[in-house]
Amino acid sequence: MSIAFLGLAAGSIMYVIIELLAVSRRAGTKELTTRMILLGLLLGFATDAVVTAAGV
């Protein structure tokens, strides 16, 4: 059951990212949007590393 919910969450995230890229393509800010998505992913991984290291 948890795999189904993780798959649903991953699909939702992919949908949002695709929509952000489509909007940024029309607005001409594709590079900025791509950098911010990458920054968000890196911050997410860093947060996970800190929580894992803390043993929570």
Side-chain angles (χ1 to χ4, degrees):
M1 194 65 154
S2 66
I3 292 176
F5 286 117
L6 288 174
L8 181 65
S12 298
I13 292 170
M14 291 284 293
Y15 177 78
V16 169
I17 289 174
I18 289 169
E19 289 299 315
L20 279 174
L21 288 175
V23 168
S24 70
R25 190 176 309 120
R26 280 181 267 153
T29 59
K30 185 176 181 181
E31 183 178 332
L32 176 64
T33 304
T34 304
R35 286 183 182 185
M36 292 301 113
I37 289 172
L38 179 61
L39 178 65
L41 285 171
L42 291 175
L43 286 174
F45 285 126
T47 302
D48 181 52
V50 168
V51 170
T52 302
V56 176

